[in-house]
Amino acid sequence: MTVRRVLAAAVTAATVVTVPFLVPATALGAAPSDPSAAGSAAGAGQRPPAKQAVAVGNGGAVSSVNPYATQAGMDVLKHGGNAVDAAVATAAALGVVEPYSAGVGGGGYLVSYNARSHQIRTIDGRETAPARMRPNSFIDPSTGKPIAFNTAVNSGLSVGVPGTPALWQKALRDWGTISLAKALKPATAIARNGFVVSDQFRAQTKMNEARFRQFSSTHELFLPGGKLPVVGSRFRNPDLARTYRELARKGVGAVYHGDIGRDVVKTVQKPPMAAGAPAVRAGLMQPKDLAGYHALGQAPTKTAYRGLDVYGMAPSSSGGTTVGEALNILENFRLSPADRVQALHHYLEASRIAFADRNRWVGDPAFSRVPTKGLLAKKFARDRACLINPKAALTSPLAPADPSRPGSRCVAGTGSPGAHEGPSTTHLVTADRWGNVVSYTLTIEQTGGSAITVPGRGFLLNNELTDFDFAPISAGVPDPNLPDGGKRPRSSMSPTIVLKDGKPYLAVGSPGGATIITTVLQTLVNRIDLGMTLPQAVAAPRVSQRNGATTEAEPAFLKSPDRAALEALGQKFVLAPPAFTPSPEIGAVAALEFRPKGTIQAVAEPVRRGGGSAMVVHRAR
């Protein structure tokens, strides 16, 4: 690095200024007069916005994992923006305050309900593999075996072509009412003025400290002065503020055809290593990969469940098909709060079966046939449901079935477990006074992504390509999720919108890698079948069965009486691994419920991930 670059890095890296940690305010002062000025409340105040897990209003709502981000979306709603405008503003703010989960360097999926047309529409903004990637790109030629997962993660090889900026542009152009420049203003203000460091942000930095110290740009940004950020201090990211301003001026072409993209490619091809750190694998991305990227508009998945219409994300995500198949299986049984143990047993078994089928069939439909309609067929679900024994758990890994071959559907057999997926990501939901709704999950893959920050740009790059299977899961069986040039890796992101009598009823989603699917599924079962309120459904202890020999469980579940009763049926539980914090957790839901008389209940996590933030608009009737 030249002397000029060293000085520039010292000046432009994020700064942390120690200030007293103040009690959150319930009001943040006068708001700007139009959406283009929105953001002063979210970014310029000295105090963080108030945090609450449940709120009820009648003029719109936002829920996310972070109060700064939720407030950014609220600023847009309060000044005339719609749900799509608010979703982009919230997502951009999450890129500032939740930089280890999402940002410009990542991708995601958005599901939207349009109140005028009464239609559900989706955008696939998943990252793609560079054109030079091949099915054996994660195979070590010297051994013929897959490279170590951690070796792949912390490298340019894991970085996919970012889809988030293209998704923002497409969503605003197709369904929004404000420009990208206006949507970015709240986030730009937060990046410029800073946010108060929470226990959660420090804990996530500490979890990644060793990785972050490997890369000079990441070390300078997130470990200023070589130290962890102090809780209660103010963390500023002027580099990201400048990046957002450039996106506001030039549009997302700055990423896909311009200077930001050139910096991304340079970083992927030659990761900026810290002094003394061993070199990591270079990536395969080239400028033409960025220039050729497109966010895809596509039809949602749909299934009916207990008289409700459940819409989700179609492949390349496996969320819509797997949640949908599991619900279709469960619809063959009566789940009752009077027998929670049997309800949970059936939930676990339906998830086990759906994951077996997901692992075999779901990938990028541009590269292999994905039997989406077959996986969501009611008859297929009825046949698969015959595997469930109320007195005994199935043995995993369970074999998949072929939707086109009826004879294979009620045969257990032995299959193969799925590949690893990082547990990070983030989710948000928005609604506006006109009745539009958005459920949007975005990510840079695992917490901290690839750990590589683009120098001078203020954002981390994803490690999404590690969502590919490094080698075929089962010998002699076609694997739809092997890497290839231009391919989207399979995802578990499950942004979901549920309609009741043709109108919005629930919007839900979660981060958590493959546990996203089970988190969304369990939340729906809790609310629809077990009679819980939405806040109760979100807060309830979680378990996640993904066709594995054991089921991951949160500590509260392992202490519950349900555990022993389920173990008597053959279910086997292990403590869930740490995900977003050192504490074992599964998912982090953000959700909305549309209630009688035009009210909206916004719900966030009360405890997980440090607690989320739900806010609503109160409109005079």
Side-chain angles (χ1 to χ4, degrees), residues 126-189:
R126 181 64 157 163
E127 301 88 339
T128 58
R132 292 192 295 166
M133 179 153 273
R134 296 292 178 265
N136 63 353
S137 288
F138 288 108
I139 301 297
D140 187 334
S142 66
T143 65
K145 297 180 179 180
I147 63 176
F149 183 78
N150 288 337
T151 298
V153 168
N154 304 314
S155 74
L157 188 61
S158 71
V159 181
V161 178
T164 289
L167 185 152
W168 291 350
Q169 180 189 57
K170 182 171 177 59
L172 290 172
R173 184 185 61 213
D174 292 355
W175 311 320
T177 67
I178 65 176
S179 66
L180 178 63
K182 291 179 179 180
L184 290 174
K185 280 203 170 184
T188 305

Side-chain angles (χ1 to χ4, degrees), residues 146-443:
I147 63 176
F149 183 78
N150 288 337
T151 298
V153 168
N154 304 314
S155 74
L157 188 61
S158 71
V159 181
V161 178
T164 289
L167 185 152
W168 291 350
Q169 180 189 57
K170 182 171 177 59
L172 290 172
R173 184 185 61 213
D174 292 355
W175 311 320
T177 67
I178 65 176
S179 66
L180 178 63
K182 291 179 179 180
L184 290 174
K185 280 203 170 184
T188 305
I190 302 169
R192 181 183 65 245
N193 298 322
F195 60 92
V196 176
V197 173
S198 65
D199 291 318
Q200 174 81 6
F201 185 78
R202 178 183 168 88
Q204 289 186 344
T205 309
K206 185 174 178 61
M207 288 172 67
N208 284 285
E209 184 176 1
R211 294 204 305 145
F212 285 1
R213 290 191 184 280
Q214 287 184 276
F215 302 99
S216 57
S217 52
T218 308
H219 177 274
E220 291 160 1
L221 179 59
F222 296 114
L223 297 167
K227 298 180 181 179
L228 293 168
V230 176
V231 174
S233 65
R234 188 163 288 273
F235 188 94
R236 294 185 172 92
N237 192 340
D239 283 347
L240 185 54
R242 279 188 288 273
T243 296
Y244 279 167
R245 286 197 296 270
E246 185 168 348
L247 284 172
R249 290 193 312 272
K250 301 179 181 179
V252 301
V255 173
Y256 298 104
H257 305 281
D259 293 341
I260 298 174
R262 282 190 284 272
D263 288 346
V264 168
V265 171
K266 181 178 179 180
T267 304
V268 170
Q269 292 182 353
K270 191 175 181 180
M273 307 309 302
V280 299
R281 291 174 186 259
L284 302 173
M285 193 185 302
Q286 295 179 317
K288 65 180 181 181
D289 295 313
L290 286 164
Y293 183 86
H294 297 284
L296 305 176
Q298 60 187 46
T301 60
K302 178 185 176 182
T303 194
Y305 185 68
R306 317 284 193 204
L308 304 170
D309 292 320
V310 182
Y311 292 86
M313 200 68 221
S316 59
S317 176
S318 64
T321 55
T322 311
V323 170
E325 181 185 346
L327 289 174
N328 288 342
I329 292 170
L330 290 173
E331 199 170 33
N332 292 280
F333 306 94
R334 183 174 179 271
L335 307 185
S336 168
D339 194 343
R340 279 180 45 83
V341 171
Q342 275 300 311
L344 286 169
H345 175 66
H346 281 74
Y347 150 69
L348 293 171
E349 297 299 87
S351 181
R352 187 193 310 269
I353 295 166
F355 263 89
D357 297 331
R358 171 251 198 197
N359 293 342
R360 167 63 183 88
W361 295 108
V362 182
D364 185 341
F367 285 77
S368 60
R369 183 183 72 88
V370 180
T372 300
K373 289 184 179 180
L375 291 171
L376 290 172
K378 293 291 186 179
K379 187 177 188 310
F380 180 65
R382 286 195 298 272
D383 290 347
R384 296 296 271 160
C386 77
L387 290 171
I388 297 179
N389 182 345
K391 297 181 180 180
L394 290 160
T395 300
S396 285
L398 186 71
D402 186 341
S404 66
R405 294 179 58 211
S408 70
R409 298 171 183 176
C410 198
V411 178
T414 301
S416 300
H420 174 85
E421 285 185 58
S424 189
T425 306
T426 193
H427 183 78
L428 65 95
V429 286
T430 62
D432 60 36
R433 61 186 176 180
W434 300 285
N436 302 301
V437 185
V438 170
S439 184
Y440 177 21
T441 313
L442 59 159
T443 184

